[in-house]
Amino acid sequence: MTDPSSNNRKTTLAPMLSVRNGAKAVDFYKAAFGAEVIFRQDDPGGAVVAQLSVNGAEFWLADESPEHLNFSPETLNGGTIRIILTTDDPDAAYRRAVSAGGTVVWDMTNEYGWRIGRLVDPFGHHWEIGKPENS
């Protein structure tokens, strides 16, 4: 169903990750995934809100704000989502993310028709990096 008032705009969905140190998180995602900063706002207290893109796949991050009920996985002692990064060369992307400071949850493997591995970033977010085996 198309809304005629949309003027052919596409719908997008992008996660916003809550982290304890937004500035360090931006640096990590740039090093780990080659993320580009599309938007970034730093407040005088050091908190960051940023929009990042990994080859056109966008996501946001912001310093946690308990007063708005936004908590990082570090505060919660775990997270509620996993992020799936699908890429043409998942092995290289996985190695790069681990080299940048990601912690291995499980190594790259062929499972369920995917080439996939899982790591946790320094801010507690879990990333599954892979691609379907037939692509």
Side-chain angles (χ1 to χ4, degrees):
M1 177 196 273
T2 303
D3 177 359
S5 67
S6 71
N7 296 325
N8 296 323
R9 288 176 287 169
K10 71 176 185 174
T11 300
T12 63
L13 181 65
M16 180 173 245
L17 308 179
S18 292
V19 296
R20 279 197 182 161
N21 188 325
K24 284 186 180 179
V26 169
D27 291 343
F28 171 79
Y29 296 126
K30 286 169 61 177
F33 303 125
E36 296 178 32
V37 177
I38 296 171
F39 169 85
R40 178 173 173 161
Q41 182 175 356
D42 294 72
D43 80 9
V48 172
V49 174
Q51 180 183 18
L52 305 174
S53 173
V54 177
N55 294 326
E58 296 177 5
F59 67 101
W60 291 77
L61 69 84
D63 280 278
E64 68 180 348
S65 54
E67 66 276 16
H68 298 114
L69 301 178
N70 295 320
F71 302 99
S72 74
E74 291 172 292
T75 297
L76 297 176
N77 227 5
T80 61
I81 66 164
R82 289 185 306 226
I83 301 120
I84 298 173
L85 176 63
T86 305
T87 181
D88 288 335
D89 190 351
D91 290 272
Y94 183 86
R95 285 190 303 271
R96 180 177 178 171
V98 170
S99 292
T103 301
V104 172
V105 175
W106 36 271
D107 281 319
M108 295 297 296
T109 186
N110 295 316
E111 200 170 289
Y112 306 111
W114 278 69
R115 178 73 179 153
I116 195 161
R118 184 169 166 187
L119 60 93
V120 61
D121 68 32
F123 312 95
H125 296 285
H126 285 247
W127 294 78
E128 292 186 12
I129 301 172
K131 74 173 187 172
E133 289 177 335
N134 59 0
S135 66

